[in-house]
């Protein structure tokens, strides 16, 4: 398989606050988006990488990344799904479109090279099966009613927390996103679209360090993770 990377970075980062959208904030000197781009560029020196950004952030993005001639940018949409769709369209319109797309949140700069290899190995074994990294749930899960009273303890054995990168055959995930866009379906990850149309998706072990920077406090954890990476 050949791989192209879609990095959605067009969100507003509302929950992280702090004035500057989270992808452009610096952790120990380097921006979140550049850390995420470098993660894929070190993994594969030549694969196309499409960064999806907000129309207001064009200058900010240029000031935040180390460019090469296989790094492309495109403008995203109002929902994450619309942004991903733009990236998938971009990959499919390249002169040599990759067979597979890796879709990875800009806000997850700490995925390891090992994780990318694990996802790729799964794609290589079974190219038509989607792949996502996920972590099994450790806490006991309680379902509550609107008064906060417990209705049920939910068995956690088969439950997982989904991460990215999520990888799929490009033409299949692209048409799934196109269909979802026309039907107005709402979804928070890309695997949901495969599930929706009955296509198989495999879970591979995720990583506890592969956090999504969501809240301001996550940046404290991010500084800690960077110091572990570069002691
Ligand atoms: N994203 C995107 N386009 C959108 C919404 C989200 O490209 N319209 C991207 C974000 O930039 C982020 C990733 O999808 O890298 C995961 O989304 P999330 O963590 O929710 O980021 P934001 O939507 O930016 O944050 P918030 O929901 O707090 O506003
Ligand atoms: Mg969001």
């Amino acid at each position: 398989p050949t791989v192209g990377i879609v990095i959605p970075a067009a969100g507003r980062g509302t929950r992280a606050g702090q004035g500057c959208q989270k992808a452009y904030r610096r952790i120990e000197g380097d921006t979140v988006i550049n850390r995420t781009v470098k993660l894929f560029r070190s993994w594969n020196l030549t694969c196309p990488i499409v960064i999806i950004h907000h129309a207001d952030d064009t200058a900010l993005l240029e000031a935040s990344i180390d460019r090469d001639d296989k790094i492309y940018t495109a403008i995203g949409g109002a929902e994450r799904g619309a942004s991903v769709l733009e990236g998938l369209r971009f990959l499919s319109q390249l002169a040599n479109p990759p067979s597979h797309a890796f879709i990875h949140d800009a806000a997850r700069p700490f995925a390891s090279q090992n994780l990318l290899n694990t996802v790729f190995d799964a794609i290589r074994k079974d190219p038509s099966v989607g792949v996502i990294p996920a972590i099994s749930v450790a806490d006991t899960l309680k379902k509550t009613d609107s008064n906060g009273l417990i209705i049920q303890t939910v068995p956690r054995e088969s439950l997982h927390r989904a991460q990215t990168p999520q990888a799929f055959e490009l033409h299949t995930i692209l048409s799934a996103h196109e269909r979802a866009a026309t039907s107005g379906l709402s979804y928070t990850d890309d695997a949901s679209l495969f599930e929706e149309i009955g296509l198989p998706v495999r879970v591979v072990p995720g990583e506890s360090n592969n956090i999504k920077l969501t809240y301001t406090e996550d940046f404290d954890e991010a500084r800690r993770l960077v110091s572990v990476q570069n002691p």
Side-chain angles (χ1 to χ4, degrees):
T2 55
V3 167
I5 317 295
V6 173
I7 302 181
R12 297 293 70 205
T14 320
R15 287 169 293 175
Q18 305 271 329
C20 169
Q21 203 261 61
K22 61 190 180 183
Y24 309 111
R25 277 168 70 182
R26 287 175 190 274
I27 306 165
E28 305 298 348
D30 202 0
T31 57
V32 170
I33 182 68
N34 202 44
R35 289 177 180 280
T36 302
V37 169
K38 286 193 311 196
L39 177 75
F40 287 98
R41 188 46 88 227
S42 339
W43 181 65
N44 183 312
L45 296 177
T46 56
C47 69
I49 298 176
V50 190
I51 304 168
I52 309 302
H53 66 96
H54 192 276
D56 293 349
D57 292 342
T58 310
L60 206 49
L61 175 64
E62 286 312 320
S64 301
I65 53 167
D66 300 322
R67 277 265 192 184
D68 65 44
D69 63 356
K70 293 285 181 55
I71 293 176
Y72 307 98
T73 60
I75 309 273
E79 303 294 331
R80 182 184 178 281
S83 297
V84 170
L85 174 55
E86 289 307 320
L88 295 171
R89 280 182 179 150
F90 191 100
L91 285 183
S92 74
Q93 286 159 15
L94 288 171
N96 278 313
S99 65
H100 285 74
F102 274 43
I103 304 167
H104 184 76
D105 293 328
R108 286 189 196 268
F110 297 114
S112 74
Q113 299 290 306
N114 188 44
L115 182 63
L116 306 191
N117 288 330
T118 301
V119 171
F120 185 73
D121 285 346
I123 285 293
R124 193 162 46 191
K125 273 195 206 103
D126 238 334
S128 62
V129 174
V131 181
I132 77 164
I135 292 196
S136 49
V137 173
D139 296 321
T140 299
L141 298 177
K142 301 294 187 187
K143 187 171 179 179
T144 57
D145 65 17
S146 55
N147 298 314
L149 296 174
I150 293 172
I151 301 169
Q152 193 199 343
T153 299
V154 182
R156 68 175 180 222
E157 286 66 40
S158 57
L159 295 182
H160 299 82
R161 294 185 293 136
Q163 301 184 340
T164 69
Q166 302 195 347
F168 312 90
E169 245 167 9
L170 175 58
H171 68 92
T172 315
I173 191 68
L174 173 58
S175 52
H177 265 282
E178 297 276 15
R179 263 196 306 273
T182 22
S183 68
L185 261 175
S186 178
Y187 43 89
T188 58
D189 80 342
D190 305 288
S192 309
L193 298 181
F194 258 50
E195 299 157 30
E196 183 71 31
I197 50 182
L199 295 174
V201 182
R202 172 167 293 126
V203 168
V204 298
E207 295 177 329
S208 55
N209 285 355
N210 185 20
I211 59 169
K212 181 165 71 73
L213 300 171
T214 304
Y215 301 101
T216 296
E217 309 81 81
D218 296 328
F219 281 79
D220 299 333
E221 175 67 359
R223 276 183 288 275
R224 194 189 66 78
L225 289 170
V226 168
S227 67
V228 174
Q229 278 179 339
N230 316 298

